[in-house]
Amino acid sequence: MKLEQAAKQLEALGNPTRLKLYRILVRAGEAGRPVGYLQESLGIAASTLSHHLHRLILTGLVSQERQATTLICRANYPMMNDLIGFLADECCADAACNPAVDDAAA
């Protein structure tokens, strides 16, 4: 994952409403949730929900699918895992270079 893409995704998740929305979708699993359920759960106007969903869709974190008259939203788990991997890939990579941090933690 490129730095710019990760920054855009983290920026999108930096909004409290979008973060709540995304967590609802992550908890829902592959089945996702209908837009009506999301609106009711968050207690926001349809236009506000649409705005927040659009931001998450643009970054690839969420997808939508129409099933008859219902719009289903889903977390994009591969994209979420890529973002988590990007954040964790170099975890502690410089730990051996900074023993003062290890001493302070002890």
Side-chain angles (χ1 to χ4, degrees), residues 5-101:
Q5 182 180 8
K8 286 178 184 178
Q9 290 174 340
L10 291 170
E11 180 183 8
L13 293 172
N15 175 281
T17 301
R18 282 193 291 275
L19 186 56
K20 286 179 197 175
L21 171 59
Y22 191 66
R23 290 185 62 159
I24 290 170
L25 293 174
V26 168
R27 290 177 56 99
E30 292 295 332
R33 293 285 187 208
V35 169
Y37 176 92
L38 298 173
Q39 185 180 358
E40 185 178 313
S41 295
L42 294 170
I44 59 177
S47 60
T48 304
L49 176 61
S50 178
H51 163 76
H52 289 302
L53 279 170
H54 182 69
R55 289 287 306 271
L56 293 170
I57 291 166
L58 283 177
T59 62
L61 290 168
V62 170
S63 65
Q64 286 184 329
E65 174 189 0
R66 182 160 300 280
Q67 293 180 354
T69 60
T70 304
L71 192 58
I72 304 295
C73 299
R74 292 184 182 88
N76 181 340
Y77 293 101
M79 189 65 71
M80 178 186 75
N81 290 331
D82 287 348
L83 179 59
I84 292 168
F86 175 82
L87 294 172
D89 275 347
E90 296 186 33
C91 180
C92 306
D94 296 333
C97 299
N98 194 358
V101 173

